C-alpha cells in the first residue's frame, strides 16, 4: 500500500462505491440522500458531503424538494454556494427539458400525466405567479410554451388579443392555459374564472379550442375542465 493510498480521504472510496452501484443497479438502488451526495460531490469534490446531503434532505423533505428548492432558501444552508446551486439547477432544468421533449412529440391529451408533471416542475415551485399559454397543433403536440405574464394574475395582465395573435402566428389549433399559485392553494379565484371565460370567447371567434386551464403548485394541481368550469 502506497503512502498516497494511505492518505486518501475515506469518502473517496465511498463515493466510488456509490457511483458503481448506480451504474450497475440504477437509481432505485440508492437512497435519496445518496443521490444528492453524488450530485454534491460534483460541485464539492474534495469534501465529505454526506452530512450536507442528509441536511438538505431533512430540510426540503424529498429529493424533488431539494432539486426544485428556491435559490435563496438553498443559500440559507451552511455549505451551499453558487456552484452547488448551479449543479442542482442543471438537474432541475434537465428534468424539465426531458418532460417538455415528451409532450412536444406525443399528444398531451394522451399523456396527461407527463403534461401535469411538466407544468408542476416548470412553474409549480416558483415564488411569483406565471401565466403560461401552451400552443398545440392538430395532433395536440406542444408547439410552444409561452410565458404570457408574470406577477399577480388579473384582467389587466392577460391579453386575449395577444394570445389570438400568437395562435395565428404559430399555427395552433388549440391551447391550454397554465398558471401557478405560489401559496400552494390551487383553488381558482374569481379573476381566474373570468379570465378563462374571456380567453375562451376570444378563441371561439377563430374556431380555436381552449382544452383546459390548469392551476399548479409544487405538489398539486386543478383542472378547470374537471371542475366543470369549462
Amino acid at each position: 500500500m502506497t503512502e498516497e493510498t494511505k492518505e486518501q480521504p475515506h469518502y473517496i472510496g465511498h463515493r466510488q462505491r456509490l457511483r458503481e452501484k448506480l451504474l450497475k443497479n440504477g437509481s432505485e438502488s440508492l437512497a435519496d440522500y445518496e443521490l444528492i451526495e453524488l450530485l454534491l460531490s460534483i460541485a464539492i469534490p474534495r469534501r465529505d458531503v454526506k452530512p450536507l446531503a442528509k441536511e438538505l434532505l431533512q430540510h426540503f423533505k424529498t429529493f424533488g424538494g431539494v432539486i426544485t428548492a428556491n435559490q435563496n432558501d438553498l443559500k440559507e444552508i451552511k455549505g451551499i454556494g453558487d456552484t452547488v446551486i448551479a449543479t442542482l439547477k442543471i438537474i432541475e432544468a434537465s428534468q424539465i427539458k426531458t418532460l417538455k421533449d415528451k409532450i412536444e412529440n406525443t399528444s398531451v391529451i394522451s399523456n396527461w400525466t407527463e403534461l401535469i408533471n411538466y407544468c408542476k416542475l416548470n412553474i409549480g415551485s416558483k415564488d411569483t405567479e406565471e401565466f403560461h399559454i401552451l400552443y398545440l397543433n392538430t395532433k395536440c403536440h406542444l408547439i410552444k410554451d409561452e410565458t404570457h405574464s408574470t406577477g399577480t394574475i388579473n384582467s389587466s395582465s392577460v391579453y386575449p388579443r395577444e394570445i389570438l395573435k400568437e395562435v395565428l402566428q404559430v399555427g395552433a389549433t388549440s391551447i391550454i392555459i397554465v398558471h401557478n399559485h405560489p401559496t400552494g392553494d390551487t383553488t381558482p379565484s374569481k379573476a381566474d374564472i373570468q379570465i378563462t371565460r374571456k380567453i375562451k370567447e376570444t378563441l371561439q371567434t377563430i374556431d380555436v379550442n381552449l382544452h383546459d386551464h390548469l392551476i399548479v403548485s409544487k405538489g398539486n394541481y386543478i383542472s378547470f375542465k374537471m371542475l366543470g368550469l369549462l
Side-chain angles (χ1 to χ4, degrees):
M1 183 178 293
T2 65
E3 192 64 28
E4 182 180 352
T5 304
K6 288 180 181 178
E7 295 177 357
Q8 188 181 68
H10 72 279
Y11 58 82
I12 297 297
H14 168 67
R15 194 174 291 168
Q16 180 60 34
R17 288 189 293 274
L18 288 182
R19 283 195 292 262
E20 290 172 354
K21 189 176 181 181
L22 174 65
L23 294 174
K24 183 178 180 180
N25 302 314
S27 60
E28 293 300 319
S29 65
L30 299 180
D32 284 354
Y33 80 86
E34 290 176 323
L35 284 172
I36 296 169
E37 184 180 352
L38 283 176
L39 287 175
L40 294 177
S41 71
I42 297 171
I44 314 174
R46 295 180 178 84
R47 175 181 156 194
D48 181 4
V49 291
K50 182 191 286 187
L52 183 56
K54 288 186 174 182
E55 183 178 357
L56 282 169
L57 191 58
Q58 182 178 20
H59 189 87
F60 295 107
K61 309 305 180 187
T62 64
F63 178 86
V66 174
I67 299 301
T68 61
N70 179 275
Q71 294 185 36
N72 291 328
D73 292 337
L74 285 167
K75 286 181 179 179
E76 292 181 0
I77 306 297
K78 186 178 179 180
I80 299 295
D82 288 343
T83 304
V84 169
I85 292 172
T87 301
L88 296 175
K89 292 307 158 185
I90 288 170
I91 300 303
E92 181 183 18
S94 299
Q95 291 178 331
I96 292 170
K97 185 66 175 72
T98 299
L99 288 168
K100 188 177 183 182
D101 285 346
K102 287 183 179 180
I103 59 176
E104 284 177 335
N105 295 293
T106 58
S107 166
V108 299
I109 308 305
S110 301
N111 294 274
W112 198 248
T113 299
E114 281 84 359
L115 173 67
I116 298 301
N117 288 339
Y118 167 72
C119 294
K120 287 165 65 176
L121 187 59
N122 192 29
I123 64 171
S125 61
K126 295 197 174 180
D127 292 333
T128 57
E129 286 194 44
E130 290 190 7
F131 193 89
H132 285 231
I133 308 297
L134 306 184
Y135 297 93
L136 310 176
N137 64 18
T138 54
K139 295 182 179 180
C140 290
H141 295 186
L142 178 68
I143 302 172
K144 181 179 180 180
D145 176 354
E146 175 192 51
T147 305
H148 182 77
S149 63
T150 59
T152 302
I153 305 304
N154 52 51
S155 58
S156 64
S157 63
V158 177
Y159 308 96
R161 289 295 172 184
E162 290 299 316
I163 297 171
L164 195 67
K165 180 180 177 181
E166 191 65 22
V167 163
L168 294 171
Q169 186 170 331
V170 302
T173 56
S174 59
I175 70 167
I176 294 174
I177 304 168
V178 185
H179 83 278
N180 62 315
H181 280 182
T183 61
D185 181 1
T186 53
T187 305
S189 66
K190 288 183 179 180
D192 294 335
I193 295 170
Q194 290 170 352
I195 289 166
T196 304
R197 288 174 179 167
K198 190 174 181 181
I199 292 173
K200 182 179 180 180
E201 290 170 1
T202 303
L203 291 174
Q204 285 175 336
T205 63
I206 58 168
D207 199 28
V208 169
N209 184 38
L210 174 58
H211 268 304
D212 211 336
H213 183 169
L214 305 174
I215 301 177
V216 298
S217 66
K218 193 168 186 176
N220 196 18
Y221 84 98
I222 65 94
S223 155
F224 271 49
K225 184 169 285 187
M226 289 174 64
L227 292 177
L229 296 173
L230 266 181

